[in-house]
């Protein structure tokens, strides 16, 4: 993950306050995509999810482990909570994630908060990108689609 969930961000800039979430995509990564994004040192057998949230021409990225080993794990149902972020402003999205911390569980809360924090940092001028954001922003969408076991998008 690019940022810990407890990282505070400055939401006071006009660009951030008025930016709306226009696109949300989730990718259940295969091993090659996981290695490309997280590096070879973090290879494991567990499934990983990449969350991409877009606003104002910028993308926020976050990665988390999925509970895919659980019987009857439903990726679509697990991912559906992020649909609440579509169309709201970035500060409102951060507030919504905070409000649903208990309902969503630690993994989805942490993924949502980290991804939105990454988006805010990319919208602010002069802020360094995390290694993960640099890698993800450089990837073609077709690579992510081709190297995902499952994909979900909010149009």
């Amino acid at each position: 993950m690019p940022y810990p969930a407890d990282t505070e961000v400055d939401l006071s800039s006009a660009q951030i306050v008025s930016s709306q979430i226009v696109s949300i995509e989730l990718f259940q990564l295969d091993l090659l995509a996981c290695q490309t994004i997280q590096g070879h040192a973090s290879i494991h057998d567990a499934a990983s999810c990449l969350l991409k949230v877009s606003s104002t021409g910028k993308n926020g990225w976050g990665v988390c482990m999925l509970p895919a080993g659980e019987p009857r794990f439903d990726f679509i149902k697990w991912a559906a909570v992020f649909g609440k972020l579509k169309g709201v402003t970035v500060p409102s999205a951060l507030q919504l994630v905070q409000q649903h911390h208990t309902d969503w569980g630690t993994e989805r809360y942490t993924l949502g908060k980290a991804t939105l924090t990454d988006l805010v940092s990319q919208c602010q001028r002069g802020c360094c990108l995390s290694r993960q954001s640099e890698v993800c922003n450089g990837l073609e969408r077709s690579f992510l689609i081709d190297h995902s076991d499952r994909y979900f998008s909010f149009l």
Side-chain angles (χ1 to χ4, degrees), residues 85-108:
L85 306 178
K86 177 91 189 293
V88 303
T89 63
V90 174
S92 294
L94 279 162
Q95 186 177 41
L96 195 124
V97 168
Q98 186 67 40
Q99 289 172 346
H100 290 283
H101 183 175
T102 304
D103 301 339
W104 290 8
T106 303
E107 291 83 12
R108 290 183 287 191

Side-chain angles (χ1 to χ4, degrees), residues 14-141:
Q15 182 182 15
I16 301 299
V17 169
S18 63
S19 295
Q20 288 190 329
I21 307 296
V22 295
S23 174
I24 301 168
E25 297 177 276
L26 292 105
F27 305 85
Q28 183 176 336
L29 303 172
D30 70 9
L31 186 58
L32 177 61
C34 187
Q35 289 173 344
T36 301
I37 293 167
Q38 295 185 304
H40 296 285
S42 60
I43 298 170
H44 33 69
D45 293 333
S48 297
C49 177
L50 174 70
L51 173 61
K52 175 185 174 187
V53 176
S54 302
S55 175
T56 65
K58 303 287 184 188
N59 302 313
W61 302 91
V63 176
C64 80
M65 302 312 299
L66 289 171
E70 294 178 10
R72 301 178 188 223
F73 174 73
D74 184 342
F75 179 69
I76 302 301
K77 185 176 178 180
W78 186 89
V81 299
F82 294 106
K84 296 177 182 185
L85 306 178
K86 177 91 189 293
V88 303
T89 63
V90 174
S92 294
L94 279 162
Q95 186 177 41
L96 195 124
V97 168
Q98 186 67 40
Q99 289 172 346
H100 290 283
H101 183 175
T102 304
D103 301 339
W104 290 8
T106 303
E107 291 83 12
R108 290 183 287 191
Y109 163 76
T110 304
L111 177 63
K113 178 95 187 265
T115 303
L116 291 167
T117 301
D118 187 52
L119 176 62
V120 169
S121 73
Q122 290 191 48
C123 290
Q124 294 171 335
R125 300 264 180 222
C127 191
C128 297
L129 299 178
S130 66
R131 179 203 171 278
Q132 182 173 300
S133 291
E134 289 178 14
V135 170
C136 290
N137 280 328
L139 292 176
E140 295 288 330
R141 187 171 184 276

